[in-house]
Amino acid sequence: MNTDAILSFEEAMEKYDPVLGFEVHVELNTKTKMFSSAPNVFGDEPNTNVNEVDLGMPGVLPVVNKAAIESSIKIGLALNCKIAESCRFARKNYFYPDTPKNFQTSQYDEPIAYDGYLDIELSDGTVFRVEIERAHMEEDAGKLTHMGGATGRIQGADFSLVDYNRAGVPLVEIVTKPIEGAGSRAPELAKAYVAAVREIVKNLGVSDAKMERGNVRCDANVSLRPHGRERFGIRSETKNVNSLRAVEHAVRYEIQRHAAVLDSGEPVIQETRHWHEDTRTTTSGRAKSDADDYRYFPEPDLVPVVPSREWVEELRATLPEPPAARRKRLQADWGYSDLEFRDVVNAGVMDEIEETIAAGASASVARKWWMGEIVGRAKNADVDPGQLGVQPATIVELARMVEEGKINNKMASEVLDGVLAGEGTPADIVEKRGLAVVSDDGPLLEAIDAALAAQPDVADKIRGGKVQAIGAIVGGVMKATRGQADAARVRELILEKLGVTV
Amino acid sequence: MTDNNELIRLSAADLAEKLAAGEVTSVEVTQAYLDRIAAVDGGERGVNAFLHVNAEEALAVAAEVDATRAAGGAEAEALHVLAGVPVAVKDLIVTVGQPTTAGSKILEGWHSPYDATVVERLRAAKMPILGKTNLDEFAMGSSTEHSAYGPTRNPWDLDRIPGGSGGGSAAAVAAFEAPLALGTDTGGSIRQPGAVTGTVGVKPTYGSVSRYGAIAMASSLDQIGPVSRTVLDSALLHQVIGGHDPHDSTSLPDPLADLVAAAKTGNVEGLRIGIIKELHGEGYQAGVENRFNDALELLKEAGAQIVEVSCPNFQYALGAYYLIMPSEASSNLAKFDGVRYGLRVLPEDGPMTIERVMGATRAAGFGDEVKRRIILGTYALSAGYYDAYYGSAQKVRTLVQRDFEAAFTVADVLISPTAPTTAFRLGEKLDDPLAMYLNDVATIPANLAGVPGLSLPGGLADEDGLPVGIQLLAPAREDARLYRVGAVLEALLEAKWGGPLLAQAPDLIAGVAGSASSVVEPVETLEAQEAK
């Protein structure tokens, strides 16, 4: 178990200045893989989306996927990068069974996009510029599953299974320059940066951008230096931090851990760290040093990628509206106040609300559901709201049921719990849990008769024209039907019964 | 029907003509070659050109061609000119339905799930594939002695090497076990075996024949090409396998020139033929030098203009080659790790970790020459050494390319001996890698520059009576020039010899132990092959 000492975040901030750096891997959603014609599909039976190229069979050769280059250029442009006039792939040589050729084909010293930036808006509206060093193309590795151990990690496992479906899936790796000056907002900036990258690639349509599926994966580099010192401290690299909340937490934790190490007078070890969502801590991975020798050399099986300037400009012209502009537009379309909209953005449910509205909900209903119901549940479950798996159609359905008076808001919330628990569709749950608003007038009329008989004085008042007194009778009926009656219908029936027209 | 002994000695072009005229069937031709293989290839002192004989499939394809031809009509008309003409394939090139070993234990018994592009094209042309030919392991060698399946013997002298790495393809063609074969040439593996076996071999322009399905040794140097007994036959086969392939990114988009027409041009008048000063003279066997001079004389008489060119950076080519080739090979051969296919060897004791299984597999599966080159290449690519070794070698490569460019401003075609010596004895250079490497000194520059090269028989060396090869080199994409000049020189030489050089080769049947009879019944042959 993890026994690293940590300092409180506040104390760490008093003493040290954090410097961050991110490597975000984006899996492209091209139809086929980076260098082969095998399908690029997530979640299929292991080792079915592979051909001889993906398996590194003798004699095979790679062919670059043009769609992947196009997506990479779009990402580069959206990150305000320059697009290389000519760039090459290289081989990164290392023996590991998830890499079928025992080398990864990756861009090395000639990335397709370089020298860009991204302006990140923090929760209070402050804009922080993150410099992008490069965005380069590479292929993903296969997926190893370690079997027999208690932890699912390689240590203690009896054997490992490998699935090459992911081998060769196109990736774009976006590398920032060192990010200085974020101070105590470093964890928040980390989360906002990754969120912004995810938003961009989703908006471009080049990636499914689902962090829970590993479409967007973040390696977070953290180092500390005493205030006022220019030279960077020694960094750690926390691998595969795969949710926005985790990015924030991991950066925060590493700052606290580094501070404790530095305080103790020990040197920080340059190493990779593993993030543990359960304990919200990191543990030491592999020591990383300059001695790692991947023996890079230019990939001789591929010719240079030479995107013509015309093509680049064509792609630039087709870029969708940038996220910041999109946010302005959406706020106007939806009619949210500044505060409402910022809450939505900070809660990370803007895309979800947009999808919900697209599915047929009104802007206010969508906001009510996401902000009022789902965000709270996500917080309790300790996941990002989008990860709960709420479908826009579900919300539209629930809202419709409430509007039609089939269920009330309280019930709708309960139905949502049922949907999230996997009990079926909203209609199924209403049925199974017997939640339907009682709309059969028979039982209602009985309850109304009983309520009127119980409070004859109130009944007289209503007959006499004091219609506002009806609340006491309605309340009685609702109580008798355990809240399942449609209050509006109850009111109508009472008035009818008493012969009062309003 | 032609006598089998005559049939197997016909050129592919003549066979094609006889097949088209209905004078002989493809089944008869294919069976004649299978019989020849059965007669001379196996046994203690057999040629050992074949690692696998594909009799059943070859005969089935032959029968299909015969049936199509017999039926006549549009389909018969549409048959490729080489339809029904058998061919052998170097065992570095993957084939469905036959094992592919690359001459290595590490791939013993492996069957490829896909066909190389060149094999697809052979199949599309309906050429029966006789089998897979022997080679130095992963094409690493100049003698075929580094095959894990025993050396191939030179049909001219069974105690000598047939060259390498494609000794199997060259020997098969020289021993009349096949009319045509495919080879691969990374530093001379088609041309040098051609030279020492008295056959023709062509390394096409880099990118003009797809490499998809050729097990890579050095990707930037490897090229598949034809092996045959005549220049025209190589042109015919080159025409089948060449042309753009979307599976190979380095494949040239240009349409293939009419190489067959080039081979039939019939004159060299006015062509400027450049002698490369650095590729003859010192270090070259006297008999080789003499035959080279004879060839120059004949070309001059035929109206070619002989000029001398200097390529000063060629002296560094061998050194650069032995850095670039092993560097790429060290990476290309990393995939042979026992995880997905091929040999898997478990460590004898200790923990059964992936690193140790990979290590044990590679230790047991690779031969010494392969290990030597992997170690060399790994070292050359290492951090701190990369610039001095791989980087410098790439600079030399550029200089060699510039030497060629300069030479081709004054000459249309360059000429040199293909190899500095005739075939050496089996075992003679096995313990001296540097001496072995020197055999490729004249062939390597073409691979470094990507230009095409052709080797054709230049006669027999005075001192040992063994074949000498003449190499022709042309600018990239100008393969046609090689066929034009090669065919003319071949015709002049054959006129001088009174027939093909191979007619002077010893009768193998008498030399092969256990093959007393030259007449082998087809049925017995097939069984013998099964048992092999």
Side-chain angles (χ1 to χ4, degrees):
Chain A
M1 209 47 242
N2 181 45
T3 54
D4 287 310
I6 61 169
L7 237 55
S8 78
F9 186 72
E10 292 69 25
E11 197 180 347
M13 282 299 110
E14 258 168 49
K15 295 179 173 167
Y16 302 105
D17 173 27
V19 177
L20 307 180
F22 298 99
E23 287 149 36
V24 175
H25 289 83
V26 177
E27 267 185 0
L28 302 180
N29 58 3
T30 48
K31 286 198 187 74
T32 58
K33 294 187 179 180
M34 186 77 225
F35 301 115
S36 92
S37 57
N40 170 20
V41 180
F42 177 86
D44 284 359
E45 279 290 298
N47 296 312
T48 53
N49 294 331
V50 292
N51 65 20
E52 61 266 19
V53 175
D54 308 302
L55 292 176
M57 287 284 176
V60 298
L61 295 172
V63 176
V64 176
N65 182 341
K66 193 181 172 190
I69 295 177
E70 183 172 310
S71 296
S72 307
I73 293 173
K74 284 181 178 172
I75 290 174
L77 291 173
L79 296 173
N80 305 295
C81 287
K82 293 173 185 146
I83 305 300
E85 303 216 350
S86 173
C87 59
R88 283 191 297 184
F89 284 93
R91 291 187 184 178
K92 180 181 182 179
N93 293 288
Y94 62 98
F95 282 86
Y96 207 64
D98 64 0
T99 308
K101 299 167 291 185
N102 285 321
F103 61 79
Q104 182 195 29
T105 307
S106 167
Q107 294 197 302
Y108 175 51
D109 49 358
E110 300 183 30
I112 188 155
Y114 58 97
D115 281 355
Y117 63 86
L118 197 54
D119 286 331
I120 305 299
E121 196 178 329
L122 299 181
S123 60
D124 63 351
T126 312
V127 173
F128 197 100
R129 176 161 289 193
V130 173
E131 306 274 350
I132 307 293
E133 183 171 300
R134 54 191 277 155
H136 70 253
M137 299 182 279
E138 59 185 35
E139 58 178 340
D140 212 341
K143 191 172 165 53
L144 287 174
T145 308
H146 305 296
M147 309 295 287
T151 59
R153 292 193 171 266
I154 194 165
Q155 289 80 10
D158 295 329
F159 62 95
S160 306
L161 299 173
V162 60
D163 175 8
Y164 291 114
N165 281 355
R166 200 180 65 183
V169 166
L171 290 179
V172 170
E173 180 177 342
I174 301 163
V175 183
T176 65
K177 289 184 179 157
I179 302 166
E180 304 173 61
S184 63
R185 309 201 67 172
E188 184 194 350
L189 175 65
K191 179 183 173 184
Y193 169 73
V194 177
V197 170
R198 193 187 66 155
E199 190 177 16
I200 282 174
V201 297
K202 192 174 176 189
N203 194 33
L204 289 170
V206 298
S207 172
D208 293 345
K210 295 194 166 99
M211 291 191 80
E212 66 276 18
R213 286 188 179 181
N215 296 144
V216 175
R217 310 197 284 266
C218 175
D219 301 341
N221 291 272
V222 172
S223 70
L224 297 187
R225 58 185 174 187
H227 287 292
R229 201 178 75 178
E230 202 165 318
R231 190 160 51 87
F232 295 156
I234 301 203
R235 68 191 164 86
S236 63
E237 181 182 6
T238 306
K239 286 285 198 188
N240 288 329
V241 194
N242 289 337
S243 76
L244 294 178
R245 291 158 57 83
V247 172
E248 182 171 12
H249 292 147
V251 166
R252 191 181 175 90
Y253 176 82
E254 278 299 286
I255 287 173
Q256 293 176 266
R257 187 182 67 81
H258 279 230
V261 174
L262 292 170
D263 261 15
S264 72
E266 296 287 318
V268 172
I269 299 165
Q270 185 171 340
E271 62 181 351
T272 58
R273 305 282 299 182
H274 295 300
W275 173 246
H276 304 282
E277 189 61 51
D278 48 354
T279 55
R280 286 198 185 161
T281 58
T282 65
T283 53
S284 175
R286 191 168 52 92
K288 196 169 185 170
S289 71
D290 294 334
D292 281 339
D293 187 352
Y294 293 117
R295 304 188 307 282
Y296 281 100
F297 72 103
E299 167 58 273
D301 284 327
L302 292 171
V303 291
V305 173
V306 185
S308 76
R309 296 301 95 181
E310 294 74 33
W311 190 32
V312 171
E313 288 318 308
E314 250 172 60
L315 293 176
R316 195 193 301 278
T318 64
L319 287 186
E321 130 193 77
R326 175 170 162 248
R327 279 196 292 273
K328 279 207 178 67
R329 178 177 56 80
L330 290 178
Q331 187 186 346
D333 285 357
W334 298 345
Y336 294 178
S337 71
D338 286 353
L339 187 63
E340 284 169 345
F341 194 77
R342 189 181 298 161
D343 286 346
V344 163
V345 170
N346 290 342
V349 294
M350 188 179 77
D351 293 340
E352 285 75 9
I353 287 178
E354 190 185 23
E355 285 167 16
T356 306
I357 292 170
S362 72
S364 62
V365 162
R367 192 177 71 83
K368 189 186 86 181
W369 277 94
W370 281 99
M371 297 304 291
E373 296 285 340
I374 300 164
V375 166
R377 284 177 172 79
K379 205 162 191 175
N380 290 337
D382 220 3
V383 296
D384 291 330
Q387 288 176 292
L388 276 179
V390 179
Q391 299 300 313
T394 302
I395 294 173
V396 172
E397 172 78 3
L398 288 171
R400 192 180 53 77
M401 286 175 153
V402 171
E403 199 176 322
E404 289 176 356
K406 289 190 179 156
I407 53 175
N408 56 28
N409 283 324
K410 188 165 152 281
M411 290 174 190
S413 178
E414 200 182 319
V415 173
L416 179 62
D417 287 332
V419 171
L420 292 177
E423 292 172 21
T425 64
D428 293 342
I429 293 158
V430 165
E431 166 98 38
K432 269 190 243 164
R433 293 198 179 182
L435 287 174
V437 169
V438 176
S439 57
D440 180 350
D441 291 350
L444 278 187
L445 287 172
E446 279 175 31
I448 289 167
D449 284 345
L452 289 172
Q455 304 180 75
D457 48 332
V458 179
D460 286 342
K461 275 185 192 167
I462 298 168
R463 279 195 198 93
K466 287 192 170 171
V467 178
Q468 62 269 37
I470 201 168
I473 307 294
V474 174
V477 174
M478 294 308 283
K479 196 173 175 187
T481 57
R482 298 189 316 281
Q484 294 194 30
D486 177 350
R489 181 65 185 151
V490 171
R491 189 169 183 277
E492 269 173 32
L493 288 172
I494 295 167
L495 293 173
E496 210 174 285
K497 184 107 190 164
L498 298 177
V500 179
T501 48
V502 187
Chain B
M1 184 191 141
T2 320
D3 170 55
N4 272 3
N5 215 27
E6 276 177 45
L7 201 57
I8 56 171
R9 284 171 166 76
L10 291 175
S11 69
D14 289 345
L15 276 176
E17 247 177 57
K18 282 189 183 294
L19 286 166
E23 289 172 36
V24 66
T25 65
S26 177
V27 168
E28 286 165 353
V29 172
T30 304
Q31 188 62 58
Y33 278 112
L34 291 170
D35 291 350
R36 176 69 174 180
I37 293 168
V40 305
D41 208 59
E44 191 82 342
R45 285 174 63 76
V47 176
N48 196 29
F50 282 85
L51 294 179
H52 176 81
V53 178
N54 188 37
E56 200 177 317
E57 187 195 274
L59 287 168
V61 171
E64 196 190 322
V65 173
D66 290 342
T68 304
R69 217 184 290 277
E75 274 186 52
E77 287 291 309
L79 280 174
H80 190 276
V81 63
L82 288 183
V85 177
V87 61
V89 175
K90 188 180 187 181
D91 204 23
L92 195 68
I93 299 171
V94 304
T95 45
V96 173
Q98 298 183 64
T100 301
T101 66
S104 180
K105 287 284 176 213
I106 211 159
L107 276 180
E108 191 164 19
W110 178 70
H111 279 69
S112 172
Y114 74 104
D115 271 330
T117 297
V118 291
V119 171
E120 280 182 355
R121 292 182 183 183
L122 297 180
R123 293 195 202 281
K126 300 238 180 306
M127 297 176 69
I129 298 173
L130 293 168
K132 306 294 288 288
T133 58
N134 201 6
L135 67 159
D136 286 296
E137 185 177 1
F138 287 102
M140 296 183 184
S142 307
S143 68
T144 317
E145 292 168 291
H146 295 303
S147 168
Y149 304 97
T152 296
R153 295 171 182 275
N154 190 326
W156 287 82
D157 178 345
L158 294 171
D159 292 321
R160 291 183 187 263
I161 59 105
S165 66
S169 283
V173 169
F176 305 103
E177 297 175 72
L180 296 169
L182 291 185
T184 67
D185 191 313
T186 305
S189 286
I190 290 175
R191 289 162 289 160
Q192 180 257 11
V196 301
T197 58
T199 56
V200 176
V202 178
K203 181 204 94 75
T205 296
Y206 183 79
S208 74
V209 177
S210 169
R211 292 183 293 118
Y212 193 72
I215 299 176
M217 164 161 65
S219 310
S220 72
L221 302 161
D222 297 343
Q223 189 61 192
I224 295 175
V227 174
S228 65
R229 291 192 290 267
T230 72
V231 173
L232 175 62
D233 284 1
S234 270
L236 283 162
L237 184 54
H238 191 161
Q239 206 85 50
V240 173
I241 59 174
H244 181 69
D245 175 17
H247 289 301
D248 178 354
S249 307
T250 62
S251 156
L252 296 169
D254 322 16
L256 203 59
D258 191 340
L259 305 171
V260 175
K264 291 176 174 171
T265 311
N267 76 74
V268 290
E269 261 170 79
L271 272 186
R272 299 168 301 166
I273 296 180
I275 305 169
I276 304 165
K277 206 174 91 187
E278 288 78 8
L279 292 188
H280 72 103
E282 199 191 331
Y284 287 73
Q285 193 179 318
V288 170
E289 196 72 10
N290 291 340
R291 294 295 80 77
F292 176 59
N293 288 327
D294 291 353
L296 295 176
E297 207 52 48
L298 288 172
L299 286 168
K300 203 187 292 178
E301 282 169 24
Q305 185 192 339
I306 306 293
V307 297
E308 188 173 75
V309 299
S310 176
C311 295
N313 292 296
F314 282 18
Q315 61 179 310
Y316 309 116
L318 190 78
Y321 174 82
Y322 275 96
L323 288 168
I324 293 169
M325 176 272 294
S327 294
E328 293 184 11
S330 71
S331 174
N332 282 329
L333 268 61
K335 60 171 66 166
F336 302 101
D337 61 6
V339 173
R340 291 163 305 281
Y341 48 75
L343 182 73
R344 177 183 289 176
V345 175
L346 303 180
E348 281 178 14
D349 45 35
M352 207 63 73
T353 61
I354 191 76
E355 290 86 356
R356 299 186 77 246
V357 173
M358 285 178 174
T361 300
R362 289 166 68 82
F366 287 142
D368 286 347
E369 182 61 25
V370 173
K371 287 176 187 165
R372 174 158 36 234
R373 296 194 192 191
I374 289 174
I375 291 167
L376 269 173
T378 303
Y379 188 79
L381 288 176
S382 296
Y385 297 98
Y386 179 91
D387 290 339
Y389 292 129
Y390 187 81
S392 302
Q394 289 294 3
K395 284 180 194 152
V396 170
R397 188 171 191 170
T398 304
L399 294 175
V400 167
Q401 284 163 351
R402 288 193 192 146
D403 277 0
F404 269 117
E405 280 165 25
F408 285 125
T409 62
V410 295
D412 301 303
V413 169
L414 301 176
I415 191 165
S416 78
T418 309
T421 67
T422 56
F424 45 89
R425 289 183 189 283
L426 285 165
E428 193 180 322
K429 298 190 180 176
L430 207 48
D431 297 326
D432 187 352
L434 287 181
M436 187 79 93
Y437 296 170
L438 273 171
N439 241 275
D440 300 329
V441 71
T443 45
I444 278 170
N447 298 84
L448 287 177
V451 305
L454 176 152
S455 178
L456 77 161
L460 303 179
D462 314 303
E463 56 272 35
D464 54 22
L466 291 168
V468 170
I470 304 295
Q471 175 177 240
L472 301 170
L473 301 165
R477 296 175 161 93
E478 297 293 346
D479 307 52
R481 285 188 206 168
L482 301 178
Y483 290 108
R484 177 179 170 191
V485 177
V488 167
L489 180 55
E490 174 184 67
L492 295 170
L493 285 164
E494 288 192 356
K496 190 173 145 187
W497 303 325
L501 189 67
L502 277 171
Q504 299 177 44
D507 179 8
L508 275 182
I509 299 302
V512 176
S515 299
S517 165
S518 64
V519 183
V520 181
E521 289 301 314
V523 179
E524 285 179 19
T525 305
L526 280 174
E527 282 169 2
Q529 283 308 317
E530 295 283 343
K532 206 175 128 174

